[in-house]
Amino acid sequence: MQSRDLSEIERKLIMAASSTSLSVSALILTFLLCISSNVQKSSAAITATKNSTKTYTNFLKTACNSTTYPQLCFKSLSSYTSTIKTSELKLCSTSLTVALKASSNTSKLVKRLAKNRGLSKIEAAIIRDCIEEIGNSIDEIKQSLKILGNLTDPDREYQIDNMKTWVSAAITDQNTCTDGFDGNKISYAVKRTIRKSIVNVARLTSNALALINKLS
């Protein structure tokens, strides 16, 4: 009798152990399936991100090829591809913002030069004029951004034309800044520093105008 009871207990223990083993195996299998699923999802997400990045980069390259300075265009905007994506409006907005930032930096640079006590009266006067011209160009770019941010379908073409006018005026003012250098005795260092910065700003603004032209 006692022997049969022991056999019954052993049988139950074996069944319990077998059941536990199956449960553990099921848990391990479920865990492995979850890992496999997550890896597949992660891989798909990475592939999708790479495809999107390539699409955005190609969009920017194509757009920049229509500008006057395509290499500068791509270099100045390539870090914003995830913002621009394939939107022409965001492309124009970003290019104007980049030009505005460069204009502000140039303004700070010229204002620092204006504080140089070693400037001649002619140099000081030309730099003052340059500061004014750059200030005007900054205001004009800001006006362009304001219009771009409020484009409406009924007046879209009219607004784009106004925007072009503002950006064109900004380019004119930027170039006017260095007009005073011609025929006047300006130190090479001052002339080179200002001209280099102004040329970069004018080219960025010119590229922005080229991209805006595509909107219409």
Side-chain angles (χ1 to χ4, degrees):
M1 181 70 177
Q2 187 176 4
S3 177
R4 284 201 300 270
D5 290 342
L6 287 174
S7 296
E8 183 66 20
I9 291 172
E10 290 174 351
R11 186 178 64 80
K12 289 181 178 180
L13 287 173
I14 292 171
M15 290 178 64
S18 177
S19 177
T20 301
S21 178
L22 288 173
S23 298
V24 172
S25 297
L27 286 172
I28 293 174
L29 180 60
T30 302
F31 177 70
L32 291 174
L33 288 173
C34 286
I35 291 177
S36 177
S37 177
N38 288 334
V39 168
Q40 289 177 355
K41 289 179 180 179
S42 178
S43 178
I46 292 172
T47 301
T49 300
K50 286 182 178 179
N51 289 338
S52 295
T53 300
K54 185 176 181 180
T55 298
Y56 301 157
T57 300
N58 288 339
F59 171 77
L60 179 60
K61 284 181 178 179
T62 301
C64 284
N65 284 337
S66 67
T67 65
T68 311
Y69 308 98
Q71 290 184 344
L72 177 62
C73 173
F74 185 77
K75 181 180 178 181
S76 64
L77 298 176
S78 58
S79 61
Y80 302 97
T81 51
S82 61
T83 299
I84 297 169
K85 296 182 179 179
T86 57
S87 168
E88 290 186 343
L89 288 178
K90 288 182 180 179
L91 175 63
C92 292
S93 175
T94 304
S95 64
L96 283 172
T97 301
V98 169
L100 178 61
K101 183 177 180 180
S103 297
S104 297
N105 289 338
T106 297
S107 178
K108 292 175 183 177
L109 170 67
V110 178
K111 286 178 180 178
R112 284 199 301 270
L113 289 174
K115 296 178 181 179
N116 188 342
R117 295 182 179 179
L119 295 174
S120 67
K121 289 183 178 180
I122 293 177
E123 287 175 332
I126 290 174
I127 289 176
R128 283 196 301 272
D129 289 342
C130 188
I131 291 172
E132 182 179 352
E133 297 296 345
I134 296 172
N136 291 338
S137 74
I138 288 173
D139 291 338
E140 287 151 357
I141 294 174
K142 285 181 178 178
Q143 286 292 334
S144 303
L145 279 166
K146 184 177 179 181
I147 294 172
L148 186 60
N150 294 282
L151 280 181
T152 54
D153 288 335
D155 298 321
R156 182 183 175 89
E157 291 301 322
Y158 173 75
Q159 291 170 328
I160 290 175
D161 285 340
N162 279 343
M163 190 161 43
K164 291 177 185 177
T165 300
W166 283 115
V167 179
S168 295
I171 295 172
T172 299
D173 286 330
Q174 291 159 1
N175 290 326
T176 301
C177 170
T178 56
D179 285 348
F181 295 167
D182 299 331
N184 288 302
K185 294 182 179 180
I186 308 295
S187 71
Y188 174 78
V190 171
K191 183 186 296 186
R192 181 177 180 276
T193 300
I194 295 178
R195 192 185 295 278
K196 181 179 179 181
S197 188
I198 287 293
V199 165
N200 180 63
V201 169
R203 288 179 176 179
L204 288 171
T205 310
S206 175
N207 281 345
L209 179 60
L211 296 172
I212 292 170
N213 283 334
K214 291 183 66 180
L215 287 177
S216 56

